[in-house]
Amino acid sequence: MALRSLDNALPLVQERPKKQAKVSVAAKLNAVNDENVAPLPPVTIPDAVDYVASDDLEPLDDPDLKIQSLIEGLESKDWVKVCESLNDARRFALFHSDLLFPISDKVMLVQVKAMKNPRSALCKTAIMAASDMFKCYGDKLLDDTTADALDQMLLQLLLKASQDKKFVCEEAEKALKIMVDSIAPLPMLQKLRVYGTHANPRVRAKAAVSLSQCVSKMELEGMKEFGLVPLIQMAAKLLNDKLPEAREAARNMISLMYKSFTEGEEQKEEAWQNFCQTSLSAIDALAVVKIVS
């Protein structure tokens, strides 16, 4: 048989190179390098954020120099760097408070921004920083330069205390308690009163707890300065709230008011009933009187 001419043979088709399959980060982490395959490049994973307790923080070396770059670090686009700078701000507040206070309004606004961040680690670090500032500055934060930042921070703390992430929620509750303990009760009560009627029932409940804590620090004169009537009306409204946390806080407020109002009164029950009846609707007055009867 004659051999087929090469001219009539089918043309050779060059095979296309096969695409390399993409390797996921998880696969890279779990893969074992094969001696016949080029080693995989290392995968960089961000370092975890350490939550340092206030008691474990230490003074800064050369704080006069460090304060000059603090704001730059707080405004970094690297969230880990922001966390580090927030911890530095805590050190300034605890050990070098005079250096930090002139820029405390800017620092507080950065904390508020960080609390709004969806990254929980950054949010929690900002809340811890706020707590240390409350402890160190207290009533100084009522100053005109920081009052607006304080108002924004109060709202964010109430919102964070009302959310579902437990470790953020608990840190926010702790910060609210420190805020109430560190700032005079009357101005704190005035700031909190608006949130006692907040549309969100969980925010309302957290505000009610803080309101009750404020009232627990007040004598009768302080309650009178705020206004006994608006105070009992606020408590009566919270007494009918949707959430049990708010109702319990309201009962505590009423008991505290009763104790201060009737101290030294010969006819305690009659004086209290008259006050409730003239300040509240009939149904609310009856509910309030029953709390202490």
Side-chain angles (χ1 to χ4, degrees):
M1 182 182 292
L3 293 175
R4 186 176 178 179
S5 172
L6 291 176
D7 293 335
N8 296 326
L10 293 173
L12 295 175
V13 179
Q14 186 176 1
E15 292 187 3
R16 294 181 179 179
K18 294 182 180 180
K19 293 183 179 179
Q20 291 183 345
K22 292 183 179 179
V23 182
S24 66
V25 172
K28 289 180 181 179
L29 289 173
N30 296 322
V32 177
N33 285 325
D34 189 339
E35 62 182 3
N36 298 317
V37 181
L40 295 170
V43 179
T44 304
I45 304 173
D47 294 331
V49 173
D50 292 328
Y51 303 116
V52 186
S54 300
D55 293 340
D56 295 330
L57 291 170
E58 297 180 354
L60 289 157
D61 295 328
D62 201 356
D64 294 285
L65 182 61
K66 193 96 174 181
I67 194 69
Q68 298 174 23
S69 59
L70 179 63
I71 295 297
E72 181 183 350
L74 289 169
E75 294 177 345
S76 171
K77 293 183 179 180
D78 180 352
W79 71 272
V80 176
K81 175 65 176 175
V82 176
C83 286
E84 292 171 356
S85 298
L86 284 168
N87 281 327
D88 283 343
R90 297 173 65 198
R91 293 183 177 93
F92 274 111
L94 293 169
F95 304 107
H96 320 283
S97 58
D98 291 341
L99 287 173
L100 183 67
F101 190 72
I103 58 169
S104 56
D105 57 330
K106 296 177 183 177
V107 174
M108 290 171 71
L109 289 174
V110 170
Q111 291 169 355
V112 169
K113 182 180 178 181
M115 288 179 200
K116 296 177 182 179
N117 193 289
R119 195 179 292 276
S120 299
L122 179 56
C123 179
K124 179 172 177 175
T125 304
I127 295 171
M128 295 174 75
S131 294
D132 286 331
M133 291 192 73
F134 296 149
K135 284 185 234 176
C136 295
Y137 296 121
D139 289 349
K140 288 183 178 180
L141 298 178
L142 298 170
D143 188 82
D144 290 341
T145 58
T146 52
D148 179 62
L150 181 63
D151 289 339
Q152 293 185 50
M153 190 172 287
L154 172 57
L155 173 58
Q156 286 306 311
L157 289 174
L158 289 169
L159 290 170
K160 295 306 171 184
S162 307
Q163 70 169 40
D164 293 326
K165 291 181 181 177
K166 186 177 179 182
F167 79 108
V168 173
C169 174
E170 290 177 346
E171 199 64 46
E173 288 178 338
K174 190 189 304 181
L176 285 168
K177 178 67 167 61
I178 293 171
M179 177 189 277
V180 171
D181 288 343
S182 304
I183 297 176
L186 181 58
M188 200 71 249
L189 197 63
Q190 290 167 338
K191 288 181 178 296
L192 282 161
R193 68 185 302 177
V194 65
Y195 300 110
T197 57
H198 197 276
N200 185 327
R202 296 175 72 175
V203 171
R204 207 163 54 235
K206 299 303 178 183
V209 172
S210 294
L211 285 164
S212 176
Q213 290 167 350
C214 281
V215 174
S216 70
K217 294 174 62 183
M218 301 177 81
E219 303 291 341
L220 182 61
E221 289 306 312
M223 296 179 192
K224 286 181 177 178
E225 192 174 350
F226 177 82
L228 287 172
V229 173
L231 191 57
I232 196 65
Q233 288 174 344
M234 182 166 54
K237 188 167 185 177
L238 288 168
L239 195 59
N240 299 311
D241 201 86
K242 179 180 179 180
L243 295 182
E245 188 176 20
R247 298 196 298 271
E248 179 60 31
R251 283 192 288 269
N252 190 48
M253 287 172 64
I254 291 166
S255 297
L256 290 164
M257 286 189 70
Y258 172 79
K259 182 179 178 181
S260 295
F261 186 88
T262 60
E263 191 172 358
E265 291 281 345
E266 292 183 2
Q267 297 179 318
K268 295 182 179 182
E269 299 303 327
E270 184 178 349
W272 178 248
Q273 287 181 21
N274 288 337
F275 167 66
C276 292
Q277 288 168 358
T278 55
S279 305
L280 304 167
S281 66
I283 190 169
D284 284 344
L286 183 61
V288 168
V289 168
K290 284 177 66 177
I291 297 294
V292 294
S293 60

